Amino acid sequence: MNDAPIGVYDSGLGGLTVWREVRRMLPSESLVYLGDGKNCPYGSRPREEVRRLADEAVASLVAQGCKMVVVACNTATAAAIDFLREKYAPMPIVGMEPAVKPACLNTRSGVVATERSLDGELFRRTAAKYGSGVELITAPGRGFVELVESDRESTPEAEQAVRDAVAVMLEHGADQIVLGCTHYPFLLPVLERVVAGRGVEIVDPSPAVARRVVQLLDQYGL
Ligand code: DGL
């Protein structure tokens, strides 16, 4: 029995949406949460800077004795996952997978994410692999992270930001909207209201990430 903690890291509060799924699936594991609130948001910072911040965060979780780290941030995953896996090997590091695959299997899609995630190699690769023959419409969730960080996710301002972000997707008849940032599930009630009656399914990848944590714990005997 390895009772060292699992570290969960995000630029801020968003990773708690992943933390909650890991907690649900692994109720007896200890979890350490690191939200880099001082540097949030990451979304439009240069890639190099996000990589440096992610490195510092993972180093601090390792110093706290974590046996595994979940990078519960799409932006940090896009900027740094290969680098982190190499630097901290053999410790397993789980990243956010843009949930484009399940959405593409279910026809036309829209993806809302941070700017830095959408222009990243990881998103391009996943979209190329699973998105052929599917119309993929992407849009940055402008202001979403700030709204969540300041506890304003139930305000008229939040509703307007969500309407603006998904407008083009709805115009094109998107029927799957993928949440490409771990802060966005906190806006789910607003999103559901905005897309009500339009036949849209909202895809949150956090349960799949938590399942991956369970798998890797097993695989590494942790
Ligand atoms: N939760 C982070 C993500 O998944 C938010 C990024 C940000 O800080 O802008 O990308």
Side-chain angles (χ1 to χ4, degrees), residues 10-15 39-44 72-76 96 113-114 117 145-146 149 180-184:
D10 179 43
S11 63
L13 300 173
N39 296 299
C40 189
Y42 281 7
S44 39
C73 175
N74 292 261
T75 311
M96 297 303 299
T114 67
S117 293
V145 170
E146 291 84 345
E149 287 289 324
C181 169
T182 53
H183 279 74
Y184 299 178

Side-chain angles (χ1 to χ4, degrees), residues 3 142 156 189:
D3 57 7
R142 293 222 162 83

Side-chain angles (χ1 to χ4, degrees), residues 10 81 83 95 101 104 118 121 123 140 146 152 163 191 210 221:
D10 179 43
I81 198 75
F83 163 80
K101 180 182 171 187
C104 286
L118 288 173
E121 181 51 31
F123 178 71
E146 291 84 345
R152 284 179 294 147
R163 278 190 196 286
L191 254 165

Side-chain angles (χ1 to χ4, degrees), residues 88-180:
Y88 295 96
M91 180 185 71
I93 301 187
V94 178
M96 297 303 299
E97 181 74 16
V100 173
K101 180 182 171 187
C104 286
L105 297 176
N106 287 315
T107 73
R108 294 160 304 180
S109 324
V111 180
V112 261
T114 67
E115 275 173 75
R116 205 46 74 244
S117 293
L118 288 173
D119 70 12
E121 181 51 31
L122 182 62
F123 178 71
R124 260 198 300 275
R125 241 189 289 143
T126 317
K129 192 157 161 202
Y130 302 107
S132 66
V134 171
E135 190 185 357
L136 261 177
I137 306 147
T138 60
R142 293 222 162 83
F144 287 19
V145 170
E146 291 84 345
L147 286 162
V148 170
E149 287 289 324
S150 57
D151 213 7
R152 284 179 294 147
E153 60 268 30
S154 317
T155 58
E157 202 187 343
E159 177 142 350
Q160 192 54 52
V162 169
R163 278 190 196 286
D164 292 346
V166 302
V168 184
M169 298 177 184
L170 296 181
E171 267 162 39
H172 280 72
D175 56 3
Q176 300 279 315
I177 293 187
V178 176
L179 304 183

